[in-house]
Every structure is written in structure tokens, then in C-alpha cells.
Amino acid sequence: MELREETTRKCYATALRMASRRLTSLYDEVMAPAGLRSTQFAILGELARGDGMTINELARALVLDRSGAGHSLRPLERDGLVSMTKGTADKRSVRITLTDEGRRRYEQATVLWHSAQDQVAEVLGTAVADELRAQLSDIAQDDRLTTR
């Protein structure tokens, strides 16, 4: 019993997942009026930066596996927020673009997202929140932290 409690308290992944669930819940709740979850908002945000991308590019950008990215895209396509088309050069490739409705919904959610950001910065302090985000971004991009 004592060993389990000790490892749970010291586990980096457990602490990160607990914090992630807390923050995800906050962002999901705050952005609910726009009809988007935080994961969907992140996808639309990546697509809003350019003129579209492949599923593989999206998965790399968001540190997802390809099947997870595809699973997350289905409701966005169903709701008319993204368009998915077969690649012209490689028919196995799927190109995703943001629709006009997707851009409108993303802009609506961005206003709400700012209020969640402000709440996190208020609780943690802006300097700590910014440093935490920077460190987490570094971790997300560090290929040494993978078994593949």
C-alpha cells in the first residue's frame, strides 16, 4: 500500500494527466457555448493557420497518432467545420481544410478560450503559467521522451 502511494505521488505522468484533466475540464466548460471541446479547438486552430494540411501533418503538429487525429476529425467534418478531400498526387493522402463555418466557430471559441487562459494565469500567476506552458511545449516536442 505504501509503495503504491509513493509511486503515484512521484509519477511525472500521473501528475501531468491529473493537471491535464483539470485544465481540459476548465477549457471544455468555458468553450461549451461555442460547441467545441478543447481538442477540437486545437485542431481548428492548426487549420486556421494556413490553407489546410494532411492528417499526418495535423497529427505531427498536435502530437497525436494518425488514427487519433482521424477519430477527432470525424465530428468536425460531420458538423461542417472541416472539409476532407483525397490528395491529388497521392490518393491515400487526405487533405483537411477549415470551412467558413469552421472559421466562424473557431473565432467564436477564441473569445471564450481567452477567458479560460485568463483564469489559468490568474490562479497560477502569469509568469508561472507562461513558464509552465513553455516547459510543457518543450516536453511535447522532445523526441527523446518516446520509445519509438
Side-chain angles (χ1 to χ4, degrees), residues 4 7 18 24 47 53 68 97 118 121 123:
R4 188 190 76 201
T7 56
M18 289 169 37
T24 298
L47 295 172
M53 58 182 41
T97 55
D118 292 345
V123 169

Side-chain angles (χ1 to χ4, degrees), residues 38-48 58 62 69 72-73 76 82:
S38 57
T39 51
Q40 295 171 321
F41 178 77
I43 289 170
L44 297 183
E46 284 299 319
L47 295 172
L58 178 66
L62 294 175
S72 296
L73 284 165
L76 295 173
V82 301

Side-chain angles (χ1 to χ4, degrees), residues 33-139:
L36 292 177
R37 298 181 58 82
S38 57
T39 51
Q40 295 171 321
F41 178 77
I43 289 170
L44 297 183
E46 284 299 319
L47 295 172
R49 293 170 43 157
D51 61 348
M53 58 182 41
T54 66
I55 290 179
N56 288 338
E57 290 168 337
L58 178 66
R60 275 192 300 278
L62 294 175
V63 192
L64 294 169
D65 60 53
R66 188 185 191 290
S67 65
H71 177 75
S72 296
L73 284 165
R74 281 194 279 282
L76 295 173
E77 182 183 33
R78 178 198 65 219
D79 294 345
L81 305 181
V82 301
S83 174
M84 297 171 60
T85 56
K86 295 280 185 197
T88 52
D90 181 356
K91 298 295 182 194
R92 296 171 298 172
S93 176
V94 175
R95 185 151 192 82
I96 313 143
T97 55
L98 197 57
T99 64
D100 289 341
E101 175 60 16
R103 188 167 301 282
R104 186 194 68 72
R105 188 86 63 87
Y106 175 71
E107 289 170 0
Q108 177 188 9
T110 298
V111 173
L112 301 169
W113 171 84
H114 279 288
S115 67
Q117 288 282 100
D118 292 345
Q119 188 171 345
V120 172
E122 181 180 321
V123 169
L124 299 180
T126 302
V128 171
D130 288 347
E131 178 61 26
L132 176 62
R133 184 190 60 243
Q135 288 181 6
L136 292 173
S137 294
D138 288 347
I139 290 168

